[in-house]
Amino acid sequence: MRNHVVRVAAAQGFYGDSPEAAMAVAQEGNIDYLSFDALSELTLAILAKDQAKNSRMGYTKDLVPTMRSLLPLARRHGFKLLTNAGGINPEAAMNAVWETASQLGLKGMKIAVVTGDDVRSRISDFMEQGILGEDLEDGTPFSTIRQNLLFANVYLGSWPLVQALRMGADVVISGRTTDSAQFMAPLLYEFEWPSDDWSRLSQGVMMGHLLECSAQSTGGNFSGNWWDVPNMDEIGYPIAEVAENGAFVVTKSPQRGGLVTQDTIKEQMLYEIHDPRAYITPDVICDFTTAQIRDLGADHVEITGTTGRPAPNALKMVAGYTAGYMGQALIGYCWPDALKKAEKAASLIQSQIARRQWHYDEIDYAYLGWNSLGGPGVPRPGEELDEVYLRVSVRAKTSEDAAKLGRLFPPLSLDGPPGMGGGAGMQAPRQLLGMWSGLVPRTLVEPHVKVRIEEVE
Amino acid sequence: MIEWPLRNFCQARSGDKGNTVNVAVFAPDDVLYDILVRELTADRVKNHFGNWVKGPARRYEVPNLRALNFVLQGALDGGGSRSIRIDNLGKCFGPAILRLTVPIPEKVAQRYKGGPYHEFGGIH
């Protein structure tokens, strides 16, 4: 008989998240699995740039230090780790973790790596077969972005991770999988759910979805009474206690801050969801509208009832490509007439760009303190603002064109409206990346998915 | 009836996928959920964001969470890694939607005065 309840803890919601919460639950040791979601569309782009500079990089730089802290605790308490921090180079990530474990003297620990999500080398193949047509969102033909391609990854599901666990892995490293797969795979392994048990699989996806963004289920980025969230400075990440029938409770370490209520959970339930009746994953298509949430009190919330239907025949591919550069500058104006001064400065910049015949694909003027975050729906302030920052950003074809923008700003301190301070001014140009998404038949991907495992010496 | 901004009684969270932003708005009870279903159309939400939303807007009803989920295409200036906006990931679309107002029966409004949102200056 397998474990009655499997405890899966969230360790990371993105590349850059705090390792503190993971360390705390690892030290407490009352978990079976610790799962990381290190990847976003943006992260793959960052890692692709890292790899372009150094072919041995391309995985997250926090992987090794994090594993150095966690692996001894994993051995002591017997929990396993799953992470997609392998990013664009999971093999190199695996070697680095293996080395780390070896240095720590963790003989016999088994490290597995899942590959096959990275399809850069197969793009020509795919194109010949006519499967990379137009972008799912805006119809951009793949052929128009191909020469600027930085990476191309297919979202894998849970089963390759399950295979790694079945091979005895203590640590599973992968590249692009669905975020929820890192959390769901332990359930498929422990409970041996059949691959067509769509309801339990959907409960598993739901659990993963609620854990994959770390504190977003436990009181972080919470739009309800966020001011009542206890000890936000040491917020705990979610832990799921899952039963064999798929019902699960989300909670957190009692030693950490945060809040788990029906209200914090439901916000995450629809985070980055489109049609809630058809949340498509490689393993199952879920219907979130059948889910029931029950607040059990004391930071325990139960979720049951998610249903689903058969997995799709195609997997999603996301390809990142270079798409020009952003230049930006920021300057502040003080009371009185702060907003009017900032608007005057914007009009001066506009005229100067026009007179110099600089061509940008887009120029954006935003006023911090008024509408930079809220956009066109924010009415003009009724009361006079005490200070306003003007931010100008441009979309340019080259880094040089993007950089030019900044030079227009320092002279404004003497040549423009009065009371310019906080001249954060010029900022280095940043490369912009487009994302192209399309569908690839799973029969073209899955035969290439490989799991390799090595024992630490 | 009084016109109330959603901030007085709703939760909202937004997220990005490519160049699409979704905004989920949550009502605290069935009466207010029905009001949202009636009043908060996809067009209203799209129009609130003006030229920030270039594609179509779609609305999904999620009655088990008393939520409406708005999916706004072409909303992110090309997407998180391509946008030149400060909020390149669209995190502020959720809060922004809470400016919209809907008519609330006085009796219902009374229930929320002095409630959790009152304390932080939401309800006047």
Side-chain angles (χ1 to χ4, degrees):
Chain A
M1 169 101 181
R2 298 276 186 175
N3 277 350
H4 183 58
V5 164
V6 175
R7 285 174 60 90
V8 182
Q12 186 178 36
F14 71 106
Y15 182 21
D17 214 353
S18 165
E20 271 184 34
M23 278 303 295
V25 292
Q27 274 157 357
E28 288 166 32
N30 181 25
I31 52 168
D32 302 306
Y33 293 88
L34 189 54
S35 295
F36 297 68
D37 173 26
L39 298 184
S40 67
E41 292 169 350
L42 193 56
T43 312
L44 277 188
I46 293 166
L47 297 178
K49 284 194 218 170
D50 287 350
Q51 193 193 28
K53 281 182 224 150
N54 177 349
S55 63
R56 290 164 60 194
M57 291 309 296
Y59 58 89
T60 70
K61 290 174 185 163
D62 61 357
L63 176 65
V64 167
T66 304
M67 289 294 167
R68 191 174 292 129
S69 308
L70 291 174
L71 292 182
L73 295 166
R75 160 128 324 160
R76 186 183 316 156
H77 297 298
F79 62 83
K80 297 169 188 282
L81 302 106
L82 294 91
T83 179
N84 56 11
I88 214 92
N89 199 351
E91 287 279 356
M94 190 257 210
N95 293 338
V97 172
W98 190 95
E99 283 294 331
T100 306
S102 181
Q103 286 161 13
L104 291 166
L106 299 171
K107 269 198 183 114
M109 185 172 262
K110 289 180 179 159
I111 321 280
V113 61
V114 174
T115 54
D117 61 302
D118 185 344
V119 293
R120 274 176 293 184
S121 63
R122 306 186 56 212
I123 290 296
S124 302
D125 237 25
F126 288 177
M127 288 185 80
E128 273 165 33
Q129 300 195 45
I131 52 169
L132 299 181
E134 296 178 343
D135 175 72
L136 289 174
E137 275 190 296
D138 66 9
T140 303
F142 185 80
S143 53
T144 63
I145 61 114
R146 197 203 166 172
Q147 71 270 25
N148 298 323
L149 201 66
L150 270 180
F151 65 85
N153 292 69
V154 171
Y155 283 75
L156 304 180
S158 300
W159 293 107
L161 308 176
V162 175
Q163 194 188 331
L165 292 171
R166 284 179 182 157
M167 289 161 78
D170 298 300
V171 181
V172 183
I173 293 165
S174 55
R176 182 76 274 179
T177 68
T178 59
D179 301 341
S180 57
Q182 301 291 329
F183 302 82
M184 170 162 161
L187 309 182
L188 302 179
Y189 167 66
E190 292 277 348
F191 296 131
E192 298 178 353
W193 290 343
S195 62
D196 62 353
D197 188 337
W198 309 119
S199 292
R200 280 192 286 187
L201 260 54
S202 292
Q203 276 285 115
V205 170
M206 174 64 92
M207 183 279 274
H209 179 68
L210 292 177
L211 264 62
E212 77 193 33
C213 292
S214 66
Q216 282 206 137
S217 284
T218 52
N221 190 24
F222 171 46
S223 76
N225 51 325
W226 56 267
W227 51 89
D228 290 329
V229 175
N231 304 331
M232 213 183 233
D233 60 310
E234 47 171 13
I235 201 162
Y237 293 169
I239 298 170
E241 301 169 340
V242 191
E244 202 274 341
N245 67 2
F248 66 93
V249 169
V250 178
T251 184
K252 65 170 186 69
S253 160
Q255 313 302 322
R256 303 284 298 179
L259 186 67
V260 186
T261 64
Q262 182 164 324
D263 285 349
T264 64
I265 291 294
K266 72 186 184 189
E267 269 191 38
Q268 180 57 21
M269 209 173 262
L270 294 182
Y271 180 68
E272 293 180 350
I273 297 293
H274 290 175
D275 181 352
R277 283 182 181 77
Y279 182 55
I280 303 169
T281 79
D283 303 320
V284 58
I285 298 176
C286 309
D287 183 350
F288 280 9
T289 67
T290 58
Q292 297 300 319
I293 306 180
R294 200 156 62 100
D295 204 322
L296 307 177
D299 294 313
H300 283 68
V301 174
E302 182 192 56
I303 290 96
T304 54
T306 319
T307 51
R309 51 184 199 272
N313 292 323
L315 301 176
K316 185 176 168 186
M317 178 184 115
V318 172
Y321 58 97
T322 56
Y325 290 82
M326 173 172 75
Q328 55 175 325
L330 186 69
I331 49 171
Y333 285 96
C334 66
W335 183 94
D337 298 318
L339 180 53
K340 285 179 185 159
K341 291 172 188 169
E343 286 175 317
K344 178 68 175 178
S347 78
L348 300 179
I349 294 295
Q350 195 169 18
S351 309
Q352 291 181 348
I353 289 173
R355 191 167 318 113
R356 286 166 173 74
Q357 297 188 315
W358 290 351
H359 295 292
Y360 292 122
D361 295 337
E362 183 186 353
I363 307 177
D364 186 57
Y365 300 92
Y367 299 90
L368 281 70
W370 170 26
N371 66 2
S372 68
L373 300 174
V378 189
R380 205 178 163 80
E383 289 170 30
E384 190 173 6
L385 300 173
D386 289 309
E387 56 189 55
V388 173
Y389 276 76
L390 167 69
R391 175 189 184 256
V392 183
S393 55
V394 294
R395 185 187 299 285
K397 293 207 165 47
T398 65
S399 174
E400 293 71 33
D401 283 350
K404 279 196 296 201
L405 172 79
R407 289 183 225 136
L408 300 177
F409 286 79
L412 287 178
S413 59
L414 305 185
D415 305 354
M420 175 183 143
M426 307 184 274
Q427 292 178 33
R430 199 178 80 206
Q431 189 172 42
L432 299 172
L433 302 167
M435 296 291 153
W436 186 95
S437 56
L439 297 175
V440 179
R442 60 196 311 157
T443 50
L444 288 181
V445 177
E446 287 175 342
H448 296 260
V449 174
K450 299 276 187 294
V451 182
R452 186 166 71 82
I453 190 159
E454 273 194 45
E455 202 170 308
V456 174
E457 289 159 10
Chain B
M1 293 291 219
I2 53 171
E3 279 291 316
W4 254 19
L6 301 183
R7 77 170 281 191
N8 284 9
F9 60 92
C10 286
Q11 290 173 239
R13 179 176 289 178
S14 51
D16 69 303
K17 250 195 183 87
N19 199 15
T20 300
V21 173
N22 87 296
V23 185
V25 183
F26 301 83
D29 64 34
D30 290 337
V31 174
L32 290 164
Y33 177 61
D34 289 343
I35 292 171
L36 289 192
V37 170
R38 197 172 63 233
E39 301 287 335
L40 206 57
T41 61
D43 277 347
R44 264 195 87 189
V45 169
K46 177 181 157 82
N47 291 339
H48 178 68
F49 290 103
N51 63 7
W52 270 19
V53 177
K54 299 199 165 26
R58 192 171 298 168
R59 184 182 94 164
Y60 296 97
E61 295 176 17
V62 196
N64 56 327
L65 305 180
R66 293 193 201 96
L68 295 176
N69 189 36
F70 296 91
V71 178
L72 312 173
Q73 288 181 266
L76 216 48
D77 196 28
S81 55
R82 198 180 192 183
S83 169
I84 65 169
R85 287 186 205 147
I86 285 193
D87 181 22
N88 63 321
L89 296 173
K91 301 280 185 202
C92 297
F93 274 70
I97 216 174
L98 298 177
R99 277 177 195 278
L100 290 170
T101 64
V102 291
I104 305 278
E106 291 274 5
K107 210 171 57 193
V108 176
Q110 279 304 330
R111 280 214 303 271
Y112 286 85
K113 285 190 176 163
Y117 295 83
H118 190 100
E119 176 183 333
F120 226 68
I123 297 177
H124 300 287

